[in-house]
Amino acid sequence: MNGIDTLRGAYLERIKTAADEAAVEEIRLAALGKKGEISLKMRELGKMTPEERQTTGASLNRLKDEIDAALRARKAGLADAALDARLASEWLDVTLPGRPRRMGTIHPVSQVMEELTTIFADMGFAVAEGPQVESDWFNFDALNIPPEHPARQEHDTFFMNRAEGDDRPPHVLRTHTSPVQIRAMTDQGAPIRVIAPGRVYRMDMDQTHTPMFHQVEGLAIDKNISMAHLKWVLEEFCRAFFEVPSVELRFRASHFPFTEPSAEVDIRCSWKDGQLKIGEGDDWMEILGSGMVHPKVLKAAGVDPTEWQGFAFGMGIDRIAMLKYGIPDLRAFFESDLRWLRHYGFAALDMPDLAGGLSR
Ligand code: DAH
């Protein structure tokens, strides 16, 4: 009897202090395994008298059950503790803000296209597109620039090749975004309100010109659209785009074959210590051409000029990007210099929106 109590005390103590599940298994083998201490004692029962066997057998069985239960409990406790430890070591606060990773930057021209699209979309303008390789009819004729018109020379056009013997007029790299006016009206008819940002090409290269540059065309046609609407839309655009409380625009009479009357638009600005400021000062900077769409242009696009009228404008995107972000040299836009891009570029995935502040 005494021997059994000693065994119980010793094993329960060992089980209590077992460090891990492997140690618990070791104790189980030592006590209850085939050659375990308690198993061996069970075997000795056969040599006992029936009376002894009855009492000792019952005690040994109880001891066996007790040790077995203690082993299981300790094992479960250790497994719980191990899980707790793992959970604690792998703990992660999913509410923490992410760590920003360098993913390259958005080119200022792309950024500005996003910004102006956001602003015009807010005023109800949809985005229209057209091909960069354009027929000369869309690029010129439909815009009231017939073959002999001097404006054709001014456009420094790149011509595509025609196959030998094909004497149709060659296609051109579009010299402006204005042909998208014709395509959009032909497709959608009137009323219509669209902008068309995109690449244009002219054979020109110096400090302020590159052979490829970007324009955005605007077009609004309805029953009663006037120059007053044009003025409001452009002022609203400039205020939002340059993120200033007010801007002053100057409309100068001009001439474009596709508008009548036509106006070039300047924005008031100041140059102080090489720093350009929009909305103040005594200087003016030309930013776009505009006017009331010529009846011949409406007619070419299948829109009845006795019923519909409206305004159009064409603005240099690279120019307004330089103005807004203080970029001094146009040519740098297209040199793909990574240091330049890192300096002037914008965070990827940071889409401009009017509520959040366009350029943050
Ligand atoms: N297409 C002209 C250019 O590239 C710009 C322009 C002027 C567009 C007047 C217009 C406009 O829509 O009405 O020089």
Side-chain angles (χ1 to χ4, degrees), residues 139 143 145 155 175-179 181 200 202 213 215-219 230 254-264 286 288-294 311-316:
N139 197 77
L143 290 161
I145 313 175
H155 274 223
T175 57
H176 50 181
T177 43
S178 301
Q181 288 186 34
V200 300
R202 292 189 198 178
F213 56 106
Q215 286 188 337
V216 57
E217 197 77 11
L219 174 72
L230 171 67
S254 182
H255 175 265
F256 300 102
F258 29 90
T259 42
E260 182 58 38
S262 304
E264 280 174 301
E286 185 195 322
L288 60 92
S290 64
M292 296 300 289
V293 178
H294 197 290
F311 65 74
F313 61 85
M315 184 158 48

Side-chain angles (χ1 to χ4, degrees), residues 107 205 210 329-341:
H107 194 284
M205 181 72 172
T210 49
D329 188 343
L330 174 71
R331 288 171 298 190
F333 273 118
F334 310 115
E335 279 168 0
S336 303
D337 182 332
L338 273 180
R339 287 162 308 170
W340 184 89
L341 274 170

Side-chain angles (χ1 to χ4, degrees), residues 299-315:
K299 218 182 271 176
V303 170
D304 182 354
T306 63
E307 202 181 332
W308 304 98
Q309 62 183 38
F311 65 74
F313 61 85
M315 184 158 48

Side-chain angles (χ1 to χ4, degrees), residues 208-223:
T208 53
H209 297 90
T210 49
M212 186 279 292
F213 56 106
H214 301 84
Q215 286 188 337
V216 57
E217 197 77 11
L219 174 72
I221 304 291
D222 210 320
K223 298 272 179 183

Side-chain angles (χ1 to χ4, degrees), residues 125-181:
F125 286 78
V127 173
E129 284 183 320
Q132 294 175 39
V133 176
E134 188 56 283
S135 77
D136 80 330
W137 188 82
F138 276 109
N139 197 77
F140 294 121
D141 300 62
L143 290 161
N144 195 27
I145 313 175
E148 68 284 1
H149 198 287
R152 288 216 179 195
Q153 271 67 60
E154 285 160 26
H155 274 223
D156 302 314
T157 312
F158 286 107
F159 293 94
M160 310 301 286
N161 283 331
R162 278 272 184 223
E164 192 103 24
D166 185 343
D167 47 10
R168 289 174 301 169
H171 277 60
V172 300
L173 289 180
R174 68 178 181 194
T175 57
H176 50 181
T177 43
S178 301
V180 186
Q181 288 186 34

